[in-house]
Amino acid sequence: MSLYCILTNLVCVFPAQILWVNQRYGDAIFTVSTGLASLVYHSDEIYNSPLNTVAIRNVDIIMADLIVCHTCHMFFDFQRRWDWTISVLPIQIYAAELDVLYRFAFMILWGIIAISIALAHKDKYHVKYLVFGTLCILSELLFFMFANKIHYYWLHGTHHITAFVAQGLLLKSIKSL
C-alpha cells in the first residue's frame, strides 16, 4: 500500500498532458513538479531517505497548495494566473507550518470562489467538465480528510489520483484552453 501512495502521484501526467498539448508549458511543468515533489516526499516518508524531512515536507505542502490555487486562478483570470499564483506564494510558505485545517479551509474557500466565478460565466466553460471536476474534487477532499485517520496510504494515494483527475477535468472545462 505504501508503494501505491507513492506511485499515484504519477497521475499528474494527465492534467500536465492537457496543458502541454495546449502549449501551456509552464503550467504543465508546474503540475509535473508538484506530482514529483509529492512522490519524493512520500518516498522519503516511507523509506527514510537522506533528504531533510522537514524541507521536503514543506516543498510538498507548498507545491500542493500552490497548484490548487493556480488551478483556481485559471478561473479568476486565465491570462494573469501566474500573477495571482505568485501573489499567494508568501501565504503558502507561511501556511506550510500551520495546522492542516487552516490550509484546508483556505483551499476550500479559494475553490468555492473559483467555481462560483466559473458558474457565473457559464458561456466560457464546458459545464459538464466543470461539474465532474467539482464532484471529483469533493471526493478528493473526503479522501484527504479521512486519510490522516485511517488507512493512510490507501486513502492518501487515492487523494492524489482524485486531485490530479479533478485538475484535468477542471482544465478541460475551460473553452479557451
Side-chain angles (χ1 to χ4, degrees):
M1 283 301 173
S2 58
L3 193 56
Y4 171 78
C5 184
I6 294 167
L7 294 178
T8 53
N9 286 292
L10 297 176
V11 177
C12 70
V13 171
F14 168 60
Q17 183 269 339
I18 293 167
L19 292 160
W20 192 269
V21 166
N22 287 284
Q23 299 179 349
R24 306 295 179 181
Y25 304 119
D27 297 305
I29 291 167
F30 183 41
T31 299
V32 168
S33 297
T34 301
L36 291 177
S38 183
L39 186 144
V40 170
Y41 169 68
H42 288 294
S43 296
D44 177 69
E45 177 184 50
I46 294 165
Y47 298 113
N48 297 319
S49 76
L51 296 174
N52 179 310
T53 303
V54 174
I56 193 60
R57 173 197 166 271
N58 286 348
V59 168
D60 176 46
I61 288 171
I62 291 165
M63 294 291 290
D65 290 355
L66 214 51
I67 200 73
V68 170
C69 290
H70 192 63
T71 302
C72 290
H73 297 156
M74 292 184 180
F75 295 106
F76 290 0
D77 180 354
F78 192 81
Q79 299 309 314
R80 303 207 48 198
R81 66 198 178 283
W82 284 103
D83 298 343
W84 282 89
T85 300
I86 292 301
S87 71
V88 298
L89 181 58
I91 295 167
Q92 298 304 336
I93 292 169
Y94 177 79
E97 291 297 325
L98 295 179
D99 186 77
V100 69
L101 290 175
Y102 293 110
R103 295 191 326 270
F104 199 63
F106 177 75
M107 295 298 120
I108 290 171
L109 176 63
W110 217 240
I112 288 170
I113 292 168
I115 297 300
S116 298
I117 289 170
L119 289 173
H121 300 95
K122 287 184 209 175
D123 57 312
K124 295 180 180 181
Y125 301 96
H126 298 286
V127 176
K128 70 178 181 181
Y129 287 116
L130 190 61
V131 169
F132 288 134
T134 301
L135 291 174
C136 199
I137 205 66
L138 290 173
S139 68
E140 180 271 336
L141 292 171
L142 291 173
F143 286 120
F144 185 83
M145 282 185 346
F146 293 109
N148 293 325
K149 306 217 184 315
I150 56 169
H151 309 294
Y152 176 79
Y153 297 121
W154 172 253
L155 292 175
H156 196 83
T158 305
H159 139 80
H160 295 152
I161 292 169
T162 53
F164 286 121
V165 169
Q167 181 190 10
L169 290 170
L170 292 170
L171 289 168
K172 288 188 78 58
S173 77
I174 303 169
K175 287 182 179 178
S176 64
L177 188 62

